[in-house]
Amino acid sequence: MTEKATIKNAILNGLYDRNYQAHQQFTPKLIRNEDGTIWETLRYELMNCKSFTWAVAFITSDILTPLKVILADLARQGIQGTLITSDYLGFNSPQMFAELLKIPNLKVMLTTIPGFHTKGYFFTHDGYSTALIGSANFTRAALLQNHETMLKVTSSQHSTLFSQVATGISHLQNESHPLTEEWIANYAKSWQSPKTSNGSNQSNRKIIPNQMQRAALIELQGLIDRGAHRGLVVSATGTGKTYLGVFAVKENRPQKFLYVVHREQVARKAMQSFQRVIGGSQEDFGLISSQHHDFSPRYLFATVQTLSQKKVLEGLSPQMFDFILVDEAHRAAAPSYQLLMDHFKPKFWLGMTATPDRMDNQDVYGIFDYHIAYEIRLRDALNNDMLVPFHYVGVQDYEANGEVIDETTNLKRLVASERVKYVLRQLEYYGYCGRQPRGLVFCSRQAEARELAKQFTALGHPAIALTNQDSNYQRQEAVKRLENGELEYLITVDLFNEGVDIPSLNQIVMLRNTESRIVFLQQLGRGLRKYPGKDFVTVIDFIGNYKHNYMIPLALNDDSSRDQDQARREVQLPQNIGVSTINFSRVASERILTSLEKTKLDSMAELRRAYHELEQRLGRAPLLIDFLQSGSVSPVVFARNKLLDNYGSFLVKMGEKVKLNRYENQVLTFITKELLSGKRAHELILLSLLKDQDVTKEQLISALEQNNCYVNAAVLRSLTDVLSLRFFDVKAGKQTKKQQYGDQSIIAVNQGIYQLNSQIKDSLKQNSAFQRLFVDVLETGLALSKKYDQRQQFTLYQQYDRKDVCRLLNWPLDVSAPMYGYRVAESECPIFITYHKKSPKQRNAIYDNQLQDGQSLRWYTRSPRHLSSAEVQRLLAGVDEGHQREKLHLFVKRSDAVGKQFYYLGTAKIDPASVREEMLGEKKKAAVGMNLVLEHPLPTTMAKTLIE
């Protein structure tokens, strides 16, 4: 289809009749944040345009960081744009204008037209243009959060609309002048912010629990009421952890209270917070430290170093306190804390931490009796406006002569003057919120920190290095100098990972390899505390050729699934958490994907680590359902692991005593490998019923309907084929399946009555381990099935392998092994396409399957095939008459590197005018080519996943 015809069909589809088949990308439509985000659409258009012109009245600095990432990539391609704005109502700040001037490939114009209130975004492509016009200004809230509406229209460059837009832009430019530093300086002299700054009158505001703190207090009190003596609250850094502790103490009104932490500075600050909320006499609050030993006040705040001293502890009664709060409770496994916890016998121990999952395998959860009273994770805190939003930018690290920074790079190259200048250019370009930078830089070595501080300072960016060799006084003085503007940067290794409050930080800079998700989140969290006038924090991560680059998207997205496909999508597709954004430059993205391809996320070592982490949290061996509910490893990862028969065999590897006979192991292997994914819930529902009683056909149908599952004779036959194991009774792999799953039918069907076989029934009654694992797979599978639309065979844009497709098409046998690219059956034909071929020398590389316009895909039969071939005749039956007999299901994956799973793109029709016999490949073998037209046009995100 020509470009002109594609745009014509899209316009007819969007403005005349939705039955016209049209390219999703070109169809006129309304864009709203409720359907994704407006920013995603703007981002996609930017990344695929030849030039752009925006006319936008209001712009805020808090959205410029993600824009700069894209424009930096576009600059390398020689692509430029124009932005027309104004000073209307004084909304646009001088600092925002100054940030725009930093973008070299953006021409900024100021219109003199009175009352300029336009919101239009225009993009030029090859032969066509796209316009977005509506309510959204270029602000973070408008593009990511607010209820805004934009009309997106694509037109030919010969259209009236294009001519009108071009004329309008020309008029605006004629009534505008270029933005200059001189103009900004004059504007700043008289400019006044139209908005009240954040945090005004904070000191007079009464402190009350926020929504998440209220929920945490309810859960905590419930734990206490049930007679628990210990409990742990997990609360992301900056979410008001200390005040949550204050509220908990205030509600419980202890006669004597103790707060324990590892640093006096933190203890003092906590005491002030408690005083402010609880009130009362100042004499009620006391400090226990190296210089203070007054134990008479009701509320005591102590350093663990002082309190754990033998002479101090011996003078204190074990029953002295009835409520003890341990802050930074992930340290509670240390000997000094254990001395206190062995000595004191309060009514309740409350532990509070942001990072309970420790790298040293200390069981923090066990110390608090595995009672997690409440958990506030980073994503939840951001979505609930408890933290300041962040803009994460992953940029490529410095490269010279083709060499990129990696783990082995020597110090000389890390502190080379050209690298330092490169780093400072990036920090200046991506900017910060506020008048000057207040940055915290994490690097890999102490010598590097000291040298970087010298060079930063020499280049006009005052900085100081802080290491564990510096005293507490030196650290406090450095923080004061940063806060009062004497310094711009503190440069350290891991010193400021935790326990230090610098709320005014507006830049976090990562100049080191990410070795640990825990440390990464600790360092990110340093900048997320709210502060008056601080609208966001910029996080700039310099990404070299590091082995563990793959950890970055996992940490940012709180992804513990060990699912390779999910991790890949997190790098490729734009991400946002509320109004926080995650952005990777093109080169940085490629480096992360390279790291990901070299990493086996689901290795036994990774699964073992995840198992022990969850075991610590629960205080027992976790089941598959525990992994799912905790957001840890995806249970499907265990099912796909070739080294494991089932989860029972994994538990044995973990040292658990799980006794299963050979047949029990085979049954668990079957339901795990074949049913756990939940892609069809029918078998899981039937087995869940049968574990308790026999089931009639009518009862089964009723249960399926209650669970919104489609029911017909074919699917009922398929259930019997699968659960009798007849489905696997094919020559290819027959012996293997029999060895894996056993020779017996899982169920029997007699006169419309479904029954479990007697051996499974006996095992469920007699072997508690088998019963527990059997039920676990069924419960987990049913939970996973919720992501699939069970009212139909396949769910759009979910993933399936060839065996899944055979089963879900209700075929009597698993013929996936010999199927390869497609199989023409009686009425339904699945087609499997690998979009990017590894090499042109591959056998299937001659089939150039291309998504030409997001809806039409050129596809070829296998060769040799002719128009007269019986298989082709069945495929084309009814096509010319407009009633295609064969229902085509299209499954596509990006490349063989992503594994066996294909995305389901829906059904497709054959374009009769496109069918022709062609000679393909070096040997010129005949095949029949045709255009397949998707029933559902490909969404932008799916196109990016499969094609780019």
Side-chain angles (χ1 to χ4, degrees), residues 483-504:
E483 290 181 320
N484 67 26
E486 292 178 49
L487 296 175
E488 290 186 1
Y489 293 99
L490 300 180
I491 304 178
T492 186
V493 184
D494 291 327
L495 186 62
F496 285 81
N497 288 0
E498 59 180 359
V500 176
D501 256 351
I502 315 176
S504 63

Side-chain angles (χ1 to χ4, degrees), residues 301-350:
F301 299 80
T303 62
V304 66
Q305 294 88 343
T306 299
L307 199 59
S308 61
Q309 292 174 12
K310 186 177 180 181
K311 61 181 180 181
V312 175
L313 268 187
E314 287 178 348
L316 302 176
S317 165
Q319 285 74 38
M320 181 175 181
F321 303 101
D322 45 351
F323 197 115
I324 300 180
L325 191 159
V326 179
D327 201 356
E328 307 291 354
H330 53 279
R331 297 173 174 270
S336 55
Y337 281 91
Q338 286 300 297
L339 284 172
L340 302 184
M341 300 191 82
D342 289 340
H343 180 80
F344 291 116
K345 309 298 178 187
K347 293 178 182 176
F348 195 76
W349 286 94
L350 174 60

Side-chain angles (χ1 to χ4, degrees), residues 238-259:
T239 55
K241 178 163 52 75
T242 300
Y243 279 116
L244 176 57
V246 177
F247 298 134
V249 171
K250 187 177 181 180
E251 281 193 8
N252 281 274
R253 288 178 270 184
Q255 294 300 310
K256 192 85 169 177
F257 165 73
L258 175 64
Y259 172 100

Side-chain angles (χ1 to χ4, degrees), residues 384-438:
N384 283 274
D385 195 31
M386 300 175 73
L387 301 171
V388 70
F390 68 86
H391 292 303
Y392 170 90
V393 181
V395 298
Q396 61 268 38
D397 206 335
Y398 181 67
E399 182 174 343
N401 301 320
E403 291 187 50
V404 184
I405 302 296
D406 62 20
E407 292 93 343
T408 64
T409 300
N410 62 40
L411 179 63
K412 184 178 179 181
R413 284 192 59 213
L414 292 177
V415 297
S417 60
E418 287 305 312
R419 184 193 186 221
V420 175
K421 290 174 184 176
Y422 171 80
V423 167
L424 287 172
R425 283 197 301 272
Q426 303 306 309
L427 303 191
E428 174 66 17
Y429 178 73
Y430 289 108
Y432 42 84
C433 178
R435 294 183 178 275
Q436 73 173 68
R438 288 192 176 104

Side-chain angles (χ1 to χ4, degrees), residues 772-805:
R772 182 172 67 252
L773 293 170
F774 185 86
V775 171
D776 180 42
V777 174
L778 300 185
E779 289 182 350
T780 306
L782 287 171
L784 289 169
S785 74
K786 303 301 181 187
K787 66 186 272 193
Y788 300 94
D789 186 352
Q790 300 294 335
R791 296 170 298 179
Q792 52 195 9
Q793 289 168 304
F794 304 105
T795 304
L796 269 177
Y797 314 128
Q798 292 291 349
Q799 290 180 288
Y800 302 87
D801 63 23
R802 288 181 173 87
K803 189 199 295 182
D804 294 327
V805 172

Side-chain angles (χ1 to χ4, degrees), residues 568-708:
R568 193 177 291 105
R569 288 194 297 272
E570 288 163 356
V571 182
Q572 292 175 311
L573 299 177
Q575 304 285 322
N576 63 284
I577 307 170
V579 293
S580 296
T581 63
I582 300 170
N583 315 273
F584 297 102
S585 72
R586 194 180 299 274
V587 174
S589 176
E590 289 169 358
R591 288 179 182 169
I592 292 172
L593 289 172
T594 298
S595 166
L596 190 58
E597 295 300 336
K598 294 178 180 178
T599 302
K600 191 169 174 58
L601 292 180
D602 60 351
S603 67
M604 286 303 299
E606 289 290 326
L607 297 183
R608 183 185 298 273
R609 185 180 299 113
Y611 172 86
H612 287 307
E613 286 176 0
L614 190 52
E615 182 186 40
Q616 284 188 352
R617 295 183 62 136
L618 300 174
R620 59 170 173 79
L623 295 170
L624 290 171
I625 195 69
D626 296 314
F627 281 100
L628 181 64
Q629 292 174 345
S630 68
S632 183
V633 178
S634 168
V636 176
V637 168
F638 290 99
R640 291 178 184 167
N641 193 300
K642 294 179 180 179
L643 299 177
L644 299 174
D645 291 337
N646 52 64
Y647 189 65
S649 62
F650 176 76
L651 288 176
V652 171
K653 289 179 182 291
M654 295 302 103
E656 296 293 326
K657 295 180 180 179
V658 178
K659 293 185 178 180
L660 301 171
N661 63 36
R662 184 169 182 267
Y663 183 62
E664 290 168 345
N665 191 71
Q666 290 172 326
V667 170
L668 285 177
T669 300
F670 165 70
I671 62 174
T672 300
K673 299 287 186 184
E674 304 297 341
L675 309 180
L676 175 69
S677 67
K679 294 176 183 180
R680 186 166 80 180
H682 299 58
E683 289 93 341
L684 296 163
I685 291 169
L686 176 55
L687 291 177
S688 295
L689 294 171
L690 290 177
K691 68 180 172 57
D692 298 318
Q693 60 186 25
D694 295 345
V695 175
T696 66
K697 181 179 179 181
E698 290 72 22
Q699 287 173 325
L700 171 60
I701 292 172
S702 175
L704 292 173
E705 289 174 343
Q706 287 175 17
N707 284 276
N708 295 314

